Amino acid sequence: MPHYHLITSCRNEAVYVDGLVDCIAAQTVRPARWVIVDDGSDDDTFARCTARSKELPFLEVVRMPGERPRTFSSKVFALQHAYEQVRSADAEYVGVIDADIRVEPFYYEGLIHLMKSDARVGLGGGTVMERCAGGLTNTREGSEDFHVPGGVHFFRRECFEQIGGYVPIEAGGEDTIAAVMAMMRGWKVRAFAELKALHLRPEGVGSANVLVRGMNWGRRV
């Protein structure tokens, strides 16, 4: 089974990180290395992650040097810092997983199997389900052939290197830009319906009106 690395950016995720670590520890195929970057937390995120790293030899926890306000750009800088920690190590895949994502134990084994079956898939991932009043729903249904939610991005390393990783943009959208850049390089993008990921935290766009959300999307493109 090919090796893969995971990278995670965390800020004030103490309520989520233990569940995330449990989730990755339970994988049928564990990552060769997993780097969690604490991006300026003022809760006990770093302490919790560090304590859990003593149980898992593949988990490394580091602090992001310097201080930045919490923005989509700061998350990208933290992911870049995480990737630098594993860049020299050999692995065929590199994945991003957010602290508020949960996946089944066979998730990464299944994902690697699906991506091996089509060598042109450069960016893959599962289908992310959101909680709503009626249960779980896939709010991105229909976008599987051109978009993978950023919280579960899983790159063929060659693809990730070719696009230069993520582009830091204050308004966000780095996941969409990465997918577009991958497709421009001739790679396929695929969210696999066979694999489900649960997003525990709502998107948080309810407080923004339509005009503000439209302006943010305009900045992203």
Side-chain angles (χ1 to χ4, degrees), residues 88-106:
S88 61
D90 184 37
E92 189 173 340
Y93 302 95
V94 57
V96 174
I97 188 163
D98 286 352
D100 59 353
I101 294 290
R102 300 291 181 268
V103 294
E104 293 294 326
F106 57 83

Side-chain angles (χ1 to χ4, degrees), residues 16-32:
Y16 293 114
V17 290
D18 282 306
L20 176 65
V21 174
D22 290 341
C23 179
I24 301 305
Q27 291 298 302
T28 54
V29 175
R30 289 175 163 186

Side-chain angles (χ1 to χ4, degrees), residues 13-190:
E13 302 281 13
V15 70
Y16 293 114
V17 290
D18 282 306
L20 176 65
V21 174
D22 290 341
C23 179
I24 301 305
Q27 291 298 302
T28 54
V29 175
R30 289 175 163 186
R33 291 184 67 186
W34 178 21
V35 178
I36 296 178
V37 173
D38 184 276
D39 187 25
S41 295
D42 54 21
D43 64 3
D44 62 346
T45 295
F46 181 77
R48 284 178 175 272
C49 291
T50 301
R52 297 301 303 273
S53 70
K54 301 184 189 318
E55 309 166 15
L56 303 172
F58 58 84
L59 174 57
E60 178 183 356
V61 183
V62 299
R63 289 189 189 274
M64 186 66 183
E67 295 185 4
R68 296 183 178 85
R70 184 169 192 166
T71 66
F72 287 103
S73 290
S74 70
K75 176 182 178 179
V76 170
F77 291 132
L79 290 175
Q80 290 174 343
H81 186 65
Y83 184 64
E84 286 305 313
Q85 312 307 305
V86 300
R87 190 169 195 164
S88 61
D90 184 37
E92 189 173 340
Y93 302 95
V94 57
V96 174
I97 188 163
D98 286 352
D100 59 353
I101 294 290
R102 300 291 181 268
V103 294
E104 293 294 326
F106 57 83
Y107 179 83
Y108 283 106
E109 181 177 3
L111 185 52
I112 290 172
H113 176 76
L114 288 167
M115 291 185 68
K116 282 180 64 179
S117 68
D118 187 346
R120 294 310 303 164
V121 177
L123 169 57
T127 299
V128 173
M129 308 301 290
E130 308 278 353
R131 294 190 186 277
C132 62
L136 297 178
T137 185
N138 176 13
T139 60
R140 303 169 182 84
E141 188 172 3
S143 66
E144 290 83 0
D145 288 329
F146 56 85
H147 179 68
V148 175
V152 295
H153 270 187
F154 195 75
F155 291 91
R156 202 174 297 275
R157 185 166 180 167
E158 181 183 356
C159 173
F160 191 76
E161 292 280 357
Q162 282 184 5
I163 68 173
Y166 292 111
V167 177
I169 297 178
E170 289 295 321
E174 68 279 351
D175 55 343
T176 300
I177 292 170
V180 171
M181 292 172 66
M183 289 185 287
M184 288 175 65
R185 289 277 190 168
W187 295 99
K188 292 181 181 179
V189 172
R190 182 67 185 171

